[in-house]
Amino acid sequence: RELAKQIHEQVLALGTSLRVKSCLAIGGMDMTVQACELSNKPHVVVATPGRLGALLRGPNPPILRNIKYVVLDEADRLLHAKSGFEGDVAEILLHGTTRKTGSDSSVGNDDDDHTLRERRGNCQTLLFSATLTRSLESLEEMAGAGLGRLPLKKFVLNGNEGDGKKRKKNKDDEGSSESDSEDDEIESIPKIPPGLKQEYVFMPSHVRDAYLITAVRHLMSNGGRSGGRMVDRNDASGWNNTTDNAVFSDDEESGKKKAKSAIIFVSTCERTAHISGVLTELGVNNVALHSLLSQNRRLASLAKFKSQQVRVMIATDVASRGLDIPTVDLVLNCELPRRAVDYIHRVGRTARAGRRGRAVSLVCERDVALVHACEKMSGREMEKCNDITDDMAVKLLGPVSKAARLTKMKLADIGFDELVKKMKERKARDRKQRQRAERALNRVAKKAKTSGGK
C-alpha cells in the first residue's frame, strides 16, 4: 500500500504539466470513493491487487477495456505460487488484457464466468522485479513454449544478463521437491549497491533486544534521539541518565560518521509494537509500520519518517519492497528473514542512487544457516561489526528489561493481544481456503488427465 501511494505521488508530480489524472485504489481506504474515481476514467490507475480485484468483482466493476498498459511491479512477489494474490492478479489481467467476443456479447450474457474472451492486441503487460526468481523463469519458459502466441521480451537494467544467470536448470532441478518451489529461491545473483556495507553482530538469542538498543545507541548520531545532546529527558529506565555524551558524537578522527536515519526490520507485528514501545520508553522517538495499523496511521508514520521528524522506523517486511527514502543510511535486521530474497530487499532500503549505506544484522546461534544463505544471495560476505561489543550490551540489560516490562503492560492495556489473535485466525482461515482451492484444482486436473488418457 505504501509503495502504491509513493508511485501515485510520483505520477501526479511528473504529470502535473500534462494534467494527468491518477487514481489510487488501496486497501484500508473508502471503497466507494475509489469506485467513483475509477468511473471518471483516469489516465493512470495505481492499485494494490486485493482492492482492485475486489472492485472488479463488485456490483459495478470499472471498465478496463481501454487500458494500454498493465504494469506489475514487484512481479516476483505477485506471481509467487502461494503469495495469496493469485486470484486478484488473474482477475486484473482478465479484465485488463482481454475483451468479450462479439458473438457472446451480442447474446447479452453479462456473467464473465460464462463469457468467452479474447486477448486485446493493443494492451501490453509489463513486469518489473529487482530479483529474478523461479516463478519469473517459469513465466519466461511458458512464453517461449507459446510459439509466438505469448511474446515476451526481457530487459536487464544495470546488470549483465550473462552474469545474472548463475545456475542453469538441469534434470535434477525439474524433479525438485515441492519445498523448493515453495521457497521460490532466486535464480540469479542480484547486484547489491557497491556503497552498501554488510555487517553482523553475533549475540545470545535471549538478549537480542539489549543488543538492538545498543546498536541504535552507538551506530546512530545522538543515540537515535531527535534534537541536540542537551535535549536529554530523565526517564524511569535510566537510559538517559548518562554524562558520557561522547558516545553519541561522530568519530571524525577515525572517519566513521554515524547514521542519521535508520529502519529496523523485525519479523512480526507483535515484535514491531514491542520494539517501538521499548525505544519510546528509552526516550527514542520512533514510528512503527505494520499491517495491524490502520491505513491512515501507516501513511502518517511513513510521512513522519520521510520528513525526518522521526529518525527511527520499526517495520515488518511491508516496508522492505520498493520504498524510496534517500535519507536512510542504516538498516538494522533485528531478526534475519526466513527467505534470503527478502534480505536483499531489506538492505536495498539504504545505499540508494549511488549513496553509501550500512546494513547490520543481529545473529544468534540459530541463524548461522540464514547468514550463509544471505551471503550466497548477495554474493558478498558479511563483516563482523566491531562497533558493538558485549560489554556495551551488558550495561543496558537492566534498562532494556525494565522498558520491556512497561511496554508489555501498555500493550496489554490497549488490547493489542486481541488484535494479534484475530489476525492469526484470519490468516488461518485464508490458508485453509487456499488449500481447499488447490485440492479442488488438483482433483479437476487429475480427472481431466484420466479422461484424456481413455
Side-chain angles (χ1 to χ4, degrees):
R1 296 176 182 179
E2 288 72 29
L3 176 58
K5 176 70 173 178
Q6 175 181 282
I7 295 174
H8 173 67
E9 293 173 350
Q10 294 298 317
V11 169
L12 293 178
L14 296 175
T16 300
S17 59
L18 301 176
R19 297 181 180 179
V20 172
K21 294 188 298 182
S22 177
C23 172
L24 178 66
I26 60 176
M29 309 297 284
D30 192 346
M31 186 181 289
T32 305
V33 174
Q34 294 172 354
C36 293
E37 292 179 355
L38 285 172
S39 64
N40 293 330
K41 298 181 180 180
H43 299 101
V44 180
V45 177
V46 184
T48 53
R51 176 48 58 93
L52 186 55
L55 290 170
L56 290 173
R57 290 187 292 268
N60 295 312
I63 299 175
L64 304 180
R65 60 171 176 262
N66 295 325
I67 285 182
K68 297 293 182 66
Y69 301 97
V70 176
V71 180
L72 297 181
D73 196 11
E74 304 292 346
D76 61 315
R77 178 75 176 89
L78 296 179
L79 300 179
H80 187 265
K82 296 183 179 180
S83 63
F85 299 115
E86 303 95 329
D88 297 321
V89 173
E91 192 81 25
I92 294 169
L93 294 177
L94 178 68
H95 286 79
T97 62
T98 64
R99 63 185 174 188
K100 297 179 183 179
T101 57
S103 59
D104 288 330
S105 60
S106 61
V107 176
N109 185 6
D110 294 333
D111 190 359
D112 288 341
D113 295 336
H114 303 283
T115 302
L116 297 177
R117 306 180 75 93
E118 63 181 4
R119 182 175 176 81
R120 295 192 292 115
N122 60 344
C123 181
Q124 186 176 3
T125 304
L126 305 174
L127 310 179
F128 287 85
S129 176
T131 51
L132 186 62
T133 56
R134 288 181 182 173
S135 57
L136 297 183
E137 288 284 351
S138 301
L139 180 64
E140 185 179 4
E141 292 174 1
M142 288 187 293
L147 301 178
R149 289 178 293 177
L150 184 62
L152 179 68
K153 295 181 180 180
K154 183 171 69 174
F155 299 93
V156 179
L157 303 179
N158 296 329
N160 189 351
E161 184 178 358
D163 297 337
K165 290 189 177 180
K166 191 67 178 178
R167 58 185 289 268
K168 298 284 186 179
K169 277 195 173 183
N170 50 33
K171 294 181 180 180
D172 295 334
D173 292 332
E174 293 175 359
S176 60
S177 62
E178 202 171 298
S179 61
D180 294 335
S181 61
E182 188 172 324
D183 291 340
D184 197 30
E185 291 180 356
I186 198 165
E187 288 290 338
S188 63
I189 294 180
K191 290 186 177 180
I192 60 176
L196 176 60
K197 185 178 181 180
Q198 301 179 99
E199 297 175 296
Y200 72 91
V201 176
F202 194 77
M203 45 89 209
S205 58
H206 59 278
V207 289
R208 187 184 295 270
D209 291 354
Y211 275 83
L212 176 64
I213 303 304
T214 304
V216 172
R217 185 178 189 184
H218 290 274
L219 299 183
M220 296 191 66
S221 61
N222 199 33
R225 295 169 298 183
S226 303
R229 296 180 189 169
M230 304 304 294
V231 191
D232 295 342
R233 71 177 181 87
N234 295 322
D235 54 78
S237 66
W239 162 277
N240 294 310
N241 301 335
T242 177
T243 58
D244 186 13
N245 289 327
V247 297
F248 300 123
S249 61
D250 293 342
D251 191 358
E252 297 178 356
E253 294 181 359
S254 61
K256 294 181 180 178
K257 189 174 183 180
K258 296 192 175 182
K260 300 294 179 63
S261 181
I263 299 180
I264 301 174
F265 283 105
V266 293
S267 56
T268 62
C269 299
E270 306 99 288
R271 288 284 294 161
T272 305
H274 176 77
I275 296 298
S276 177
V278 170
L279 286 173
T280 302
E281 290 295 327
L282 296 176
V284 179
N285 290 333
N286 65 90
V287 292
L289 184 63
H290 54 84
S291 58
L292 287 181
L293 295 175
S294 65
Q295 188 58 39
N296 288 331
R297 289 190 62 186
R298 288 170 63 170
L299 294 176
S301 297
L302 189 59
K304 289 180 68 175
F305 184 67
K306 279 187 173 182
S307 61
Q308 301 186 39
Q309 297 181 34
V310 175
R311 300 195 292 120
V312 179
M313 181 171 73
I314 302 94
T316 56
D317 282 327
V318 297
S320 64
R321 287 177 175 263
L323 293 184
D324 184 20
I325 308 175
T327 57
V328 175
D329 42 17
L330 175 64
V331 168
L332 287 172
N333 286 310
C334 185
E335 296 105 1
L336 284 174
R338 299 293 100 183
R339 299 172 65 244
V341 66
D342 293 332
Y343 171 82
I344 298 296
H345 290 282
R346 283 186 180 186
V347 301
R349 297 314 98 210
T350 186
R352 300 181 68 84
R355 297 179 177 87
R356 293 187 178 275
R358 191 177 188 182
V360 180
S361 302
L362 303 185
V363 179
C364 69
E365 62 276 5
R366 298 188 297 267
D367 298 334
V368 177
L370 294 176
V371 172
H372 293 322
C374 294
E375 289 177 341
K376 182 180 178 181
M377 181 73 64
S378 62
R380 231 191 273 174
E381 291 187 358
M382 296 185 190
E383 303 175 2
K384 184 178 180 180
C385 181
N386 296 319
D387 296 334
I388 306 300
T389 63
D390 295 338
D391 294 336
M392 295 176 181
V394 168
K395 293 179 181 178
L396 292 178
L397 285 177
V400 171
S401 299
K402 188 172 184 178
R405 290 195 298 270
L406 294 173
T407 300
K408 188 175 182 179
M409 289 187 292
K410 289 184 178 180
L411 291 177
D413 290 340
I414 64 176
F416 189 80
D417 294 338
E418 291 296 324
L419 293 176
V420 174
K421 184 178 179 181
K422 291 180 180 179
M423 179 193 67
K424 290 182 178 180
E425 292 175 351
R426 176 172 52 82
K427 285 187 175 182
R429 288 196 303 268
D430 294 342
R431 192 182 304 111
K432 289 181 179 179
Q433 291 177 1
R434 194 157 54 243
Q435 290 173 353
R436 284 197 296 266
E438 290 176 358
R439 287 196 294 267
L441 288 175
N442 291 334
R443 286 196 298 268
V444 171
K446 186 176 180 180
K447 187 177 180 180
K449 186 177 180 180
T450 303
S451 59
K454 293 181 179 179

